[in-house]
PDB file of all heavy atoms in Angstrom:
ATOM      1  N   LEU B  23      16.747 -24.589  14.450  1.00 54.00           N
ATOM      2  CA  LEU B  23      16.052 -25.059  15.653  1.00 54.00           C
ATOM      3  C   LEU B  23      15.428 -26.422  15.347  1.00 54.00           C
ATOM      4  O   LEU B  23      14.593 -26.535  14.457  1.00 54.00           O
ATOM      5  CB  LEU B  23      14.968 -24.058  16.031  1.00 54.00           C
ATOM      6  CG  LEU B  23      14.269 -24.240  17.361  1.00 54.00           C
ATOM      7  CD1 LEU B  23      15.250 -24.201  18.508  1.00 54.00           C
ATOM      8  CD2 LEU B  23      13.225 -23.156  17.536  1.00 54.00           C
ATOM      9  N   PRO B  24      15.851 -27.478  16.052  1.00 50.00           N
ATOM     10  CA  PRO B  24      15.306 -28.810  15.752  1.00 50.00           C
ATOM     11  C   PRO B  24      13.803 -28.878  16.025  1.00 50.00           C
ATOM     12  O   PRO B  24      13.240 -28.023  16.702  1.00 50.00           O
ATOM     13  CB  PRO B  24      16.058 -29.724  16.721  1.00 50.00           C
ATOM     14  CG  PRO B  24      17.207 -28.943  17.211  1.00 50.00           C
ATOM     15  CD  PRO B  24      16.793 -27.519  17.163  1.00 50.00           C
ATOM     16  N   GLU B  25      13.192 -29.934  15.485  1.00 51.00           N
ATOM     17  CA  GLU B  25      11.764 -30.147  15.743  1.00 51.00           C
ATOM     18  C   GLU B  25      11.536 -30.364  17.241  1.00 51.00           C
ATOM     19  O   GLU B  25      12.422 -30.774  17.969  1.00 51.00           O
ATOM     20  CB  GLU B  25      11.280 -31.372  14.970  1.00 51.00           C
ATOM     21  CG  GLU B  25      11.203 -31.118  13.479  1.00 51.00           C
ATOM     22  CD  GLU B  25      10.722 -32.342  12.746  1.00 51.00           C
ATOM     23  OE1 GLU B  25      10.258 -33.288  13.414  1.00 51.00           O
ATOM     24  OE2 GLU B  25      10.816 -32.322  11.514  1.00 51.00           O
ATOM     25  N   ASP B  26      10.326 -30.171  17.654  1.00 49.00           N
ATOM     26  CA  ASP B  26       9.923 -30.366  19.058  1.00 49.00           C
ATOM     27  C   ASP B  26      10.741 -29.510  20.016  1.00 49.00           C
ATOM     28  O   ASP B  26      11.000 -29.877  21.146  1.00 49.00           O
ATOM     29  CB  ASP B  26      10.049 -31.833  19.483  1.00 49.00           C
ATOM     30  CG  ASP B  26       9.123 -32.718  18.683  1.00 49.00           C
ATOM     31  OD1 ASP B  26       8.080 -32.211  18.227  1.00 49.00           O
ATOM     32  OD2 ASP B  26       9.448 -33.895  18.504  1.00 49.00           O
ATOM     33  N   SER B  27      11.180 -28.363  19.528  1.00 50.00           N
ATOM     34  CA  SER B  27      12.047 -27.522  20.353  1.00 50.00           C
ATOM     35  C   SER B  27      11.348 -27.049  21.617  1.00 50.00           C
ATOM     36  O   SER B  27      11.977 -26.874  22.653  1.00 50.00           O
ATOM     37  CB  SER B  27      12.496 -26.313  19.548  1.00 50.00           C
ATOM     38  OG  SER B  27      11.370 -25.572  19.160  1.00 50.00           O
ATOM     39  N   SER B  28      10.042 -26.849  21.523  1.00 50.00           N
ATOM     40  CA  SER B  28       9.348 -26.314  22.686  1.00 50.00           C
ATOM     41  C   SER B  28       9.406 -27.280  23.868  1.00 50.00           C
ATOM     42  O   SER B  28       9.282 -26.875  25.014  1.00 50.00           O
ATOM     43  CB  SER B  28       7.893 -25.989  22.343  1.00 50.00           C
ATOM     44  OG  SER B  28       7.250 -27.143  21.877  1.00 50.00           O
ATOM     45  N   ARG B  29       9.574 -28.535  23.554  1.00 51.00           N
ATOM     46  CA  ARG B  29       9.698 -29.486  24.656  1.00 51.00           C
ATOM     47  C   ARG B  29      11.166 -29.694  25.043  1.00 51.00           C
ATOM     48  O   ARG B  29      11.493 -29.932  26.191  1.00 51.00           O
ATOM     49  CB  ARG B  29       9.072 -30.823  24.261  1.00 51.00           C
ATOM     50  CG  ARG B  29       7.553 -30.771  24.230  1.00 51.00           C
ATOM     51  CD  ARG B  29       6.948 -32.149  24.106  1.00 51.00           C
ATOM     52  NE  ARG B  29       7.172 -32.737  22.813  1.00 51.00           N
ATOM     53  CZ  ARG B  29       6.428 -32.478  21.746  1.00 51.00           C
ATOM     54  NH1 ARG B  29       5.412 -31.629  21.820  1.00 51.00           N
ATOM     55  NH2 ARG B  29       6.656 -33.050  20.595  1.00 51.00           N
ATOM     56  N   LYS B  30      12.064 -29.631  24.044  1.00 65.00           N
ATOM     57  CA  LYS B  30      13.472 -29.947  24.312  1.00 65.00           C
ATOM     58  C   LYS B  30      14.218 -28.800  24.981  1.00 65.00           C
ATOM     59  O   LYS B  30      15.160 -29.011  25.720  1.00 65.00           O
ATOM     60  CB  LYS B  30      14.176 -30.292  23.003  1.00 65.00           C
ATOM     61  CG  LYS B  30      13.852 -31.688  22.503  1.00 65.00           C
ATOM     62  CD  LYS B  30      14.687 -32.001  21.281  1.00 65.00           C
ATOM     63  CE  LYS B  30      14.422 -33.435  20.832  1.00 65.00           C
ATOM     64  NZ  LYS B  30      15.098 -33.752  19.592  1.00 65.00           N
ATOM     65  N   PHE B  31      13.817 -27.585  24.629  1.00 81.00           N
ATOM     66  CA  PHE B  31      14.594 -26.430  25.073  1.00 81.00           C
ATOM     67  C   PHE B  31      13.826 -25.591  26.072  1.00 81.00           C
ATOM     68  O   PHE B  31      12.602 -25.538  26.064  1.00 81.00           O
ATOM     69  CB  PHE B  31      14.956 -25.551  23.878  1.00 81.00           C
ATOM     70  CG  PHE B  31      15.861 -26.214  22.886  1.00 81.00           C
ATOM     71  CD1 PHE B  31      15.617 -26.093  21.537  1.00 81.00           C
ATOM     72  CD2 PHE B  31      16.963 -26.954  23.301  1.00 81.00           C
ATOM     73  CE1 PHE B  31      16.448 -26.698  20.616  1.00 81.00           C
ATOM     74  CE2 PHE B  31      17.805 -27.561  22.382  1.00 81.00           C
ATOM     75  CZ  PHE B  31      17.544 -27.432  21.035  1.00 81.00           C
ATOM     76  N   SER B  32      14.607 -24.894  26.888  1.00 92.00           N
ATOM     77  CA  SER B  32      14.011 -23.883  27.763  1.00 92.00           C
ATOM     78  C   SER B  32      13.542 -22.723  26.899  1.00 92.00           C
ATOM     79  O   SER B  32      13.940 -22.590  25.731  1.00 92.00           O
ATOM     80  CB  SER B  32      15.059 -23.388  28.751  1.00 92.00           C
ATOM     81  OG  SER B  32      16.077 -22.711  28.029  1.00 92.00           O
ATOM     82  N   THR B  36      15.172 -21.385  23.376  1.00 96.00           N
ATOM     83  CA  THR B  36      14.298 -21.208  22.199  1.00 96.00           C
ATOM     84  C   THR B  36      14.380 -19.774  21.697  1.00 96.00           C
ATOM     85  O   THR B  36      14.488 -19.532  20.487  1.00 96.00           O
ATOM     86  CB  THR B  36      12.837 -21.546  22.570  1.00 96.00           C
ATOM     87  OG1 THR B  36      12.795 -22.890  23.033  1.00 96.00           O
ATOM     88  CG2 THR B  36      11.918 -21.389  21.367  1.00 96.00           C
ATOM     89  N   HIS B  71       4.948 -20.300  22.590  1.00 97.00           N
ATOM     90  CA  HIS B  71       5.472 -21.545  23.180  1.00 97.00           C
ATOM     91  C   HIS B  71       4.843 -21.887  24.519  1.00 97.00           C
ATOM     92  O   HIS B  71       4.967 -23.012  24.972  1.00 97.00           O
ATOM     93  CB  HIS B  71       6.993 -21.465  23.323  1.00 97.00           C
ATOM     94  CG  HIS B  71       7.713 -21.654  22.019  1.00 97.00           C
ATOM     95  ND1 HIS B  71       8.111 -22.887  21.545  1.00 97.00           N
ATOM     96  CD2 HIS B  71       8.052 -20.758  21.071  1.00 97.00           C
ATOM     97  CE1 HIS B  71       8.695 -22.746  20.368  1.00 97.00           C
ATOM     98  NE2 HIS B  71       8.677 -21.454  20.048  1.00 97.00           N
ATOM     99  N   ARG B  72       4.204 -20.914  25.161  1.00 97.00           N
ATOM    100  CA  ARG B  72       3.698 -21.203  26.502  1.00 97.00           C
ATOM    101  C   ARG B  72       2.232 -20.809  26.740  1.00 97.00           C
ATOM    102  O   ARG B  72       1.611 -21.324  27.654  1.00 97.00           O
ATOM    103  CB  ARG B  72       4.547 -20.456  27.553  1.00 97.00           C
ATOM    104  CG  ARG B  72       5.962 -20.966  27.688  1.00 97.00           C
ATOM    105  CD  ARG B  72       5.987 -22.347  28.354  1.00 97.00           C
ATOM    106  NE  ARG B  72       7.335 -22.765  28.641  1.00 97.00           N
ATOM    107  CZ  ARG B  72       8.118 -23.429  27.795  1.00 97.00           C
ATOM    108  NH1 ARG B  72       7.659 -23.759  26.584  1.00 97.00           N
ATOM    109  NH2 ARG B  72       9.337 -23.785  28.139  1.00 97.00           N
ATOM    110  N   TRP B  96       8.395 -20.339  12.675  1.00 97.00           N
ATOM    111  CA  TRP B  96       9.461 -21.295  12.291  1.00 97.00           C
ATOM    112  C   TRP B  96       9.895 -22.100  13.510  1.00 97.00           C
ATOM    113  O   TRP B  96      10.092 -23.321  13.428  1.00 97.00           O
ATOM    114  CB  TRP B  96      10.637 -20.513  11.706  1.00 97.00           C
ATOM    115  CG  TRP B  96      11.918 -21.280  11.648  1.00 97.00           C
ATOM    116  CD1 TRP B  96      12.312 -22.158  10.679  1.00 97.00           C
ATOM    117  CD2 TRP B  96      12.968 -21.249  12.617  1.00 97.00           C
ATOM    118  NE1 TRP B  96      13.547 -22.663  10.971  1.00 97.00           N
ATOM    119  CE2 TRP B  96      13.977 -22.128  12.157  1.00 97.00           C
ATOM    120  CE3 TRP B  96      13.166 -20.560  13.809  1.00 97.00           C
ATOM    121  CZ2 TRP B  96      15.155 -22.327  12.875  1.00 97.00           C
ATOM    122  CZ3 TRP B  96      14.342 -20.759  14.512  1.00 97.00           C
ATOM    123  CH2 TRP B  96      15.320 -21.632  14.049  1.00 97.00           C
ATOM    124  N   SER B  97      10.016 -21.433  14.651  1.00 96.00           N
ATOM    125  CA  SER B  97      10.466 -22.128  15.867  1.00 96.00           C
ATOM    126  C   SER B  97       9.470 -23.196  16.312  1.00 96.00           C
ATOM    127  O   SER B  97       9.821 -24.107  17.043  1.00 96.00           O
ATOM    128  CB  SER B  97      10.702 -21.123  17.000  1.00 96.00           C
ATOM    129  OG  SER B  97       9.483 -20.669  17.560  1.00 96.00           O
ATOM    130  N   LEU B  98       8.244 -23.057  15.839  1.00 96.00           N
ATOM    131  CA  LEU B  98       7.211 -24.053  16.148  1.00 96.00           C
ATOM    132  C   LEU B  98       7.062 -25.080  15.027  1.00 96.00           C
ATOM    133  O   LEU B  98       6.239 -25.988  15.118  1.00 96.00           O
ATOM    134  CB  LEU B  98       5.857 -23.358  16.336  1.00 96.00           C
ATOM    135  CG  LEU B  98       5.713 -22.479  17.574  1.00 96.00           C
ATOM    136  CD1 LEU B  98       4.587 -21.489  17.378  1.00 96.00           C
ATOM    137  CD2 LEU B  98       5.464 -23.333  18.807  1.00 96.00           C
ATOM    138  N   GLY B  99       7.833 -24.919  13.974  1.00 95.00           N
ATOM    139  CA  GLY B  99       7.737 -25.827  12.832  1.00 95.00           C
ATOM    140  C   GLY B  99       6.583 -25.518  11.906  1.00 95.00           C
ATOM    141  O   GLY B  99       6.217 -26.329  11.064  1.00 95.00           O
ATOM    142  N   ARG B 100       5.992 -24.340  12.035  1.00 95.00           N
ATOM    143  CA  ARG B 100       4.844 -24.008  11.184  1.00 95.00           C
ATOM    144  C   ARG B 100       5.252 -23.262   9.915  1.00 95.00           C
ATOM    145  O   ARG B 100       4.448 -23.074   9.021  1.00 95.00           O
ATOM    146  CB  ARG B 100       3.833 -23.175  11.966  1.00 95.00           C
ATOM    147  CG  ARG B 100       3.215 -23.946  13.121  1.00 95.00           C
ATOM    148  CD  ARG B 100       2.107 -23.134  13.755  1.00 95.00           C
ATOM    149  NE  ARG B 100       1.785 -23.641  15.071  1.00 95.00           N
ATOM    150  CZ  ARG B 100       1.057 -22.981  15.961  1.00 95.00           C
ATOM    151  NH1 ARG B 100       0.579 -21.788  15.658  1.00 95.00           N
ATOM    152  NH2 ARG B 100       0.799 -23.505  17.141  1.00 95.00           N
TER     153      ARG B 100
END
Side-chain angles (χ1 to χ4, degrees):
Chain B
L23 189 59
E25 288 180 11
D26 297 333
S27 61
S28 58
R29 287 191 290 278
K30 283 185 177 175
F31 295 136
S32 65
T36 301
H71 284 270
R72 292 289 187 272
W96 163 83
S97 76
L98 291 159
R100 295 187 197 166

